[in-house]
Amino acid sequence: MRALKIIARGQLRIDDVPIPSIAPDEVLIKVAGAGLCHSDLHVMHAPTLLRYGMTLGHETAGFVTEMGADVTGFAEGDPVLVCLVWACGECRPCLEGRDNVCVNNGGRLRPPPAPGLGPDGGMADYIVSKARYLEPLGDLDPVIAGPLGDAALTPMHAINGARHRLGPDATVVAIGIGGLGHMGLQILKATTDARVIAIDSSPQRLAAATALGADIVIPSGDDAAQAILDLTGGYGADAIFDFVGLQATIDIAGNAIAPDGALRLVGLGGGKLSMGISMQPLPWGVDVRRSYGGTRADQRQVLDLAAAGTIGVDAVRYSLDDGLQAFADLEAGVVAGRAILVP
Ligand code: NAD
Ligand code: ZN
Ligand code: ZN
């Protein structure tokens, strides 16, 4: 089968490899589509990686083709989503519903494994997963459902953790309307009555934000924070979701958040938030979360919204054979929504 692998820093290659075999608790899935996340670019350029030769792809959906002897509850041909978070399900955080920060399979600075970020991922003809990391897709199209497992899950988790600041009179800002942001924007519109401001550096992405229901769009840049302050009587936004994480966007967030506001840093662009105790720019009461992925409960909420047709992935399809082109396009910032590799 074909598998898109990272073979060295900055080097990807589509290899011909054997179809993997499965353990008794595993399922072999024929991939229908695998989303391409900006994190894949971070992985590609990371100075070191735990495992070169890994198949990328952590946003995968497909069809059950073979089941291990112990697997129950699935049948051949079932459409399934492969979950991002491969948690133990038994440790204290898992039992508290915080499986995205599982202690047994992860650690203090390490999230639980995710397919395509450790184990082999879904940019291939087939992927293997334990049965318990699969969610049934029902009537959702598995070709474009993969991003529900990260591009929608991750914003859902960040938003769920800020709901106390998302009342009907709230002003909320989403920065970066790419793969994650275009789902986050839809989730905000679908699940809150807050006024939603979208910020991006790309005029095309701002137009997309308007089409997806943003109440106000603001071009990214030095004036963006002041524009948010002007729209909120100088008080700031009640919640800001930074889906980019560059210094420029973290600065906008820090300079435009309201007192007691919820600041959610999701993007991994490499910026820093400066925060001191006495002399510092953040208003009193701001709470900051470095939000990772999402829980299984967040995942089910995402699937319910998608099944109801309330949210959907703006998919840009590439054949798996054109996978390297898709990476180049994402890096060039010309993907309008989420790129999906279709085997
Ligand atoms: P993407 O490339 O699809 O989208 C990025 C968007 O940001 C684009 O619309 C781009 O125009 C916009 N942008 C770029 N520079 C900007 C600026 N200065 N100001 C405003 N907008 C700007 O990326 P994605 O797949 O949505 O991922 C976004 C980030 O989130 C990445 O850093 C990724 O690694 C990270 N991520 C984090 C988690 C997590 O669990 N914390 C999960 C998935 C992805
Ligand atoms: Zn991702
Ligand atoms: Zn656990």
Side-chain angles (χ1 to χ4, degrees):
M1 68 167 192
R2 295 163 298 168
L4 192 156
K5 291 178 173 287
I6 174 157
I7 52 164
R9 185 178 183 182
Q11 277 187 57
L12 307 175
R13 194 173 65 205
I14 297 173
D15 279 352
D16 191 21
V17 300
I19 295 175
S21 51
I22 52 172
D25 60 347
E26 290 179 335
V27 173
L28 181 69
I29 296 135
K30 183 159 186 16
V31 175
L36 211 172
C37 177
H38 208 106
S39 297
D40 292 315
L41 292 177
H42 297 318
V43 167
M44 179 177 161
H45 295 298
T48 56
L49 207 61
L50 280 178
R51 186 163 78 86
Y52 286 109
M54 169 180 80
T55 303
L56 290 168
H58 55 271
E59 295 189 339
T60 308
F63 297 98
V64 170
T65 56
E66 198 186 322
M67 288 161 289
D70 297 345
V71 173
T72 55
F74 291 98
E76 202 184 320
D78 280 356
V80 289
L81 176 74
V82 183
C83 288
L84 177 76
V85 172
W86 288 9
C88 81
E90 292 171 350
C91 69
R92 181 174 60 91
C94 277
L95 292 175
E96 290 173 355
R98 300 183 293 117
D99 41 297
N100 62 325
V101 292
C102 170
V103 53
N104 284 346
N105 289 4
R108 182 170 170 270
L109 295 175
R110 191 165 47 94
L117 298 167
D120 283 333
M123 294 181 185
D125 288 301
Y126 294 91
I127 182 174
V128 171
S129 165
K130 282 190 195 296
R132 66 191 177 84
Y133 300 139
L134 300 176
E135 282 287 338
L137 279 174
D139 293 332
L140 290 169
D141 178 3
V143 174
I144 60 166
L148 298 175
D150 174 25
L153 169 81
T154 298
M156 176 64 91
H157 182 68
I159 291 165
N160 278 341
R163 292 229 175 258
H164 57 298
R165 287 287 165 265
L166 300 178
D169 298 327
T171 296
V172 184
V173 179
I175 308 177
I177 311 300
L180 267 65
H182 92 287
M183 298 305 308
L185 178 55
Q186 294 178 67
I187 293 168
L188 284 168
K189 291 306 293 182
T191 65
T192 78
D193 291 318
R195 175 170 66 153
V196 182
I197 299 174
I199 296 184
D200 203 290
S201 49
S202 146
Q204 289 81 9
R205 296 315 298 155
L206 290 180
T210 302
L212 291 170
D215 297 291
I216 297 166
V217 299
I218 298 176
S220 193
D222 293 343
D223 302 332
Q226 188 58 49
I228 296 166
L229 295 179
D230 290 346
L231 287 162
T232 54
Y235 197 63
D238 300 282
I240 301 186
F241 300 91
D242 184 349
F243 296 119
V244 184
L246 291 169
Q247 194 58 54
T249 58
I250 294 179
D251 286 347
I252 294 171
N255 289 326
I257 190 76
D260 281 355
L263 185 45
R264 300 294 179 256
L265 302 177
V266 179
L268 304 172
K272 283 199 172 87
L273 177 73
S274 103
M275 186 165 160
I277 293 300
S278 52
M279 301 284 290
Q280 42 83 22
L282 279 185
W284 292 110
V286 169
D287 78 277
V288 178
R289 174 179 270 190
R290 188 170 174 251
S291 197
Y292 174 70
T295 67
R296 198 65 177 253
D298 298 319
Q299 186 63 77
R300 296 235 167 125
Q301 255 184 299
V302 161
L303 290 170
D304 285 349
L305 287 179
T310 319
I311 63 170
V313 177
D314 272 351
V316 181
R317 300 172 197 217
Y318 293 79
S319 79
L320 176 59
D321 291 330
D322 293 334
L324 270 56
Q325 184 60 50
F327 273 81
D329 288 353
L330 183 64
E331 194 144 37
V334 297
V335 174
R338 195 53 141 188
I340 296 183
L341 305 192
V342 182

